[in-house]
Amino acid sequence: MSLKSKIAIVTGASRGCGRGVALQLAEAGCTLYITGRAPSKTLSSELTYLPTLEGTAEECRKRGGICHVRYVDHSNMDEVEKFFDEVASETDNQLDILVNNAFSAVTKCGSGDTRKFFERDPEIWDDINNVGLRNQYYCSVYGTRIMRKNGMKGLIVNISSLGGIMYLFTVAYGVGKMALDRMSSDMAQELQDTGITVISLWPSAVKTELITNMIETSAGSWGATENKMFLNGESTEYCGKAVVAIAADPKKKYWNGSTLITTDMGNYYSYTDIDGRIPTNMRQLRGLLSLAGYHSMAGWCPEWVNLPGWAITLWQNKIHY
């Protein structure tokens, strides 16, 4: 799947899914602009096992892509706007792919803190949703403005989560992810008569550097079933394979406004993870029951039972007639 001559932005590309997406886009031939916090402000300055933005860029170049590093504080919208202005100037208003992945609250979500929302500092809302939801809206606005100058063509991918339809981590986390999925759908509605496609993309359980370390050091808040899900989950690059496949699809407008699952995209476009495995789909009933707290029931459920997307949505529908 070649994306030569395409220009892409990936926010939050130092590690995790952002890094994986950047690596796969580089392998497909993209010219990349990747963002992350300044080295002194990133977690890698404290946790030396974590990769860095410069490290991501170096690996992207090894894989054949052209990669530009930009240090951007995605909680500062003036910096965000300035970054997009610089990209527009340097590329003569060409932007083909925008992947909104920046997120700054991973450690708060997996910290083992079981306090209820009213027991926490309400500032956790901004901790989770400022660099998350709010920033993704701003990036989508500025990215679309560049795409408009380039003939209203392009792909915007908002990295979201299963937390959009079921309780996961905290109230603020779930609200942010549900809002992100709705934002993608509504943006697609306003862009339906253009060549710009907007989607939300849900990775399944991903073996990110932070989560793997949390599990291996018993620092996470999950039980044995959840630990197994993550350790047997997707690589960070599997999400990148989904982005590449969709971006290279001449009929990608079909997905406009959709919330897509990475494993479904793997089945649809017929690719495997980087280790040759087909990751477990997050629609697996056993895993969903476990995440919902029904651990005993999950233990009796066969691993091969998967729910269709409509059934998951219906299961979580809170409207009563």
Side-chain angles (χ1 to χ4, degrees), residues 138-174:
Y138 273 73
C139 288
S140 296
V141 168
Y142 298 137
T144 301
R145 288 177 181 176
I146 300 176
M147 292 175 181
R148 181 177 61 184
K149 294 177 181 177
N150 192 33
M152 293 299 270
K153 297 180 294 182
L155 171 67
I156 299 174
V157 180
N158 293 312
I159 304 298
S160 187
S161 148
L162 180 67
I165 60 166
M166 65 184 297
Y167 180 82
L168 192 61
F169 302 131
T170 69
V171 171
Y173 181 87

Side-chain angles (χ1 to χ4, degrees), residues 283 307-316:
R283 293 190 288 104
L307 286 178
W310 63 263
I312 299 175
T313 303
L314 184 64
W315 176 33
Q316 289 299 313

Side-chain angles (χ1 to χ4, degrees), residues 84-220:
F84 277 89
D85 286 343
E86 289 175 353
V87 172
S89 176
E90 293 177 15
T91 65
D92 192 23
N93 291 313
Q94 180 183 348
L95 177 61
D96 302 288
I97 303 163
L98 167 60
V99 181
N100 288 317
N101 173 74
F103 186 68
S104 65
V106 173
T107 54
K108 292 182 182 294
C109 294
S111 65
D113 188 342
T114 58
R115 289 178 296 168
K116 309 298 184 184
F117 75 92
F118 55 88
E119 298 170 325
R120 293 173 178 260
D121 186 330
E123 288 299 315
I124 194 172
W125 176 272
D126 285 341
D127 292 341
I128 290 174
N129 291 320
N130 190 10
V131 173
L133 175 65
R134 182 170 184 260
N135 165 71
Q136 288 174 317
Y137 180 85
Y138 273 73
C139 288
S140 296
V141 168
Y142 298 137
T144 301
R145 288 177 181 176
I146 300 176
M147 292 175 181
R148 181 177 61 184
K149 294 177 181 177
N150 192 33
M152 293 299 270
K153 297 180 294 182
L155 171 67
I156 299 174
V157 180
N158 293 312
I159 304 298
S160 187
S161 148
L162 180 67
I165 60 166
M166 65 184 297
Y167 180 82
L168 192 61
F169 302 131
T170 69
V171 171
Y173 181 87
V175 172
K177 295 307 181 185
M178 175 173 277
L180 181 58
D181 295 338
R182 178 57 186 265
M183 183 184 86
S184 301
S185 176
D186 286 0
M187 285 180 175
Q189 177 72 19
E190 295 191 1
L191 292 170
Q192 63 181 336
D193 296 326
T194 74
I196 300 174
T197 300
V198 186
I199 64 165
S200 260
L201 184 62
W202 291 359
S204 294
V206 183
K207 295 183 290 186
T208 67
E209 303 86 0
L210 273 172
I211 287 177
T212 300
N213 181 264
M214 286 178 186
I215 293 173
E216 291 177 347
T217 60
S218 301

Side-chain angles (χ1 to χ4, degrees), residues 239-314:
C239 184
K241 286 197 166 192
V243 173
V244 169
I246 296 167
D249 186 350
K251 297 181 180 179
K252 59 180 168 289
K253 194 69 175 180
Y254 171 77
W255 303 118
N256 195 35
S258 298
T259 297
L260 305 174
I261 300 173
T262 52
T263 39
D264 286 340
M265 294 296 95
N267 292 334
Y268 184 86
Y269 289 108
S270 300
Y271 60 82
T272 62
D273 207 339
I274 55 174
D275 58 5
R277 292 184 309 113
I278 298 176
T280 302
N281 197 311
M282 70 162 60
R283 293 190 288 104
Q284 183 190 59
L285 181 57
R286 183 175 186 174
L288 290 170
L289 288 170
S290 178
L291 286 173
Y294 302 105
H295 301 290
S296 179
M297 191 181 300
W300 287 96
C301 184
E303 292 190 356
W304 49 265
V305 178
N306 291 328
L307 286 178
W310 63 263
I312 299 175
T313 303
L314 184 64

